[in-house]
C-alpha cells in the first residue's frame, strides 16, 4: 500500500470536506488553466447520492453524458480525448435513493497549449 491519503490506482479519489446536496470540489478546479491532456474528472460526491452522472462538452449548453457512477465506489470519470488549448465544461448530476435529483454548477477548465 501507498503511504498517505491516496492509494495509487484506486477507483475513488479522496477529497476532504463536508458532503452537500450537490457534487462539489471539482478536479481540475473550476477555471483551471494549463490542465494536462491526460486529466481525469474528479469531485466530492453529493450527500446520500446513489448515482452520479457526469456530463461533458466544449459548450456549456451542449453537455453530453460520459459516465454514470453508481454508489460510493468511484468519483472519477475519464473524459473523451482532450485537445490542446481548448476550454471544456462539465457538470455532475446526482440522484439519491429517494429519487431526489440535484445538479452541480457547470465547471470549466482549459487544457495546456
Amino acid at each position: 500500500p501507498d503511504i498517505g491519503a491516496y492509494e495509487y490506482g484506486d477507483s475513488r479519489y479522496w477529497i476532504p470536506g463536508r458532503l452537500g446536496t450537490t457534487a462539489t470540489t471539482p478536479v481540475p478546479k473550476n477555471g483551471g488553466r494549463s490542465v494536462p491532456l491526460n486529466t481525469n474528472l474528479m469531485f466530492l460526491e453529493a450527500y446520500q447520492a446513489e448515482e452520479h452522472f457526469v456530463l461533458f462538452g466544449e459548450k456549456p449548453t451542449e453537455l453530453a453524458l460520459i459516465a454514470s457512477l453508481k454508489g460510493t465506489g468511484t468519483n472519477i470519470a475519464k473524459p473523451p480525448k482532450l485537445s490542446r488549448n481548448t476550454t471544456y465544461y462539465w457538470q455532475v448530476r446526482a440522484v439519491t435513493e429517494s429519487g431526489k435529483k440535484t445538479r452541480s454548477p457547470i465547471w470549466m477548465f482549459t487544457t495546456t497549449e
Side-chain angles (χ1 to χ4, degrees):
D2 296 328
I3 296 175
Y6 306 103
E7 187 75 26
Y8 177 77
D10 202 355
S11 63
R12 186 170 185 285
Y13 186 78
W14 181 76
I15 299 173
R18 178 181 171 273
L19 300 181
T21 57
T22 63
T24 60
T25 318
V27 177
K29 72 177 184 173
N30 188 34
R33 301 259 182 228
S34 298
V35 173
L37 298 178
N38 65 347
T39 194
N40 285 324
L41 307 175
M42 298 166 275
F43 55 92
L44 183 61
E45 302 96 316
Y47 180 66
Q48 292 186 336
E50 196 163 86
E51 190 166 8
H52 292 88
F53 299 94
V54 181
L55 296 99
F56 183 83
E58 291 186 38
K59 296 180 181 178
T61 56
E62 297 178 18
L63 301 178
L65 179 68
I66 62 164
S68 172
L69 309 173
K70 293 189 180 218
T72 58
T74 186
N75 62 344
I76 302 171
K78 179 80 175 149
K81 184 176 180 182
L82 302 177
S83 300
R84 292 186 173 280
N85 200 31
T86 303
T87 299
Y88 292 100
Y89 300 86
W90 65 293
Q91 180 180 53
V92 177
R93 297 181 184 172
V95 179
T96 65
E97 186 177 294
S98 66
K100 181 180 178 186
K101 298 176 183 177
T102 63
R103 295 179 182 197
S104 72
I106 295 175
W107 301 309
M108 57 84 64
F109 65 89
T110 303
T111 54
T112 189
E113 293 184 18

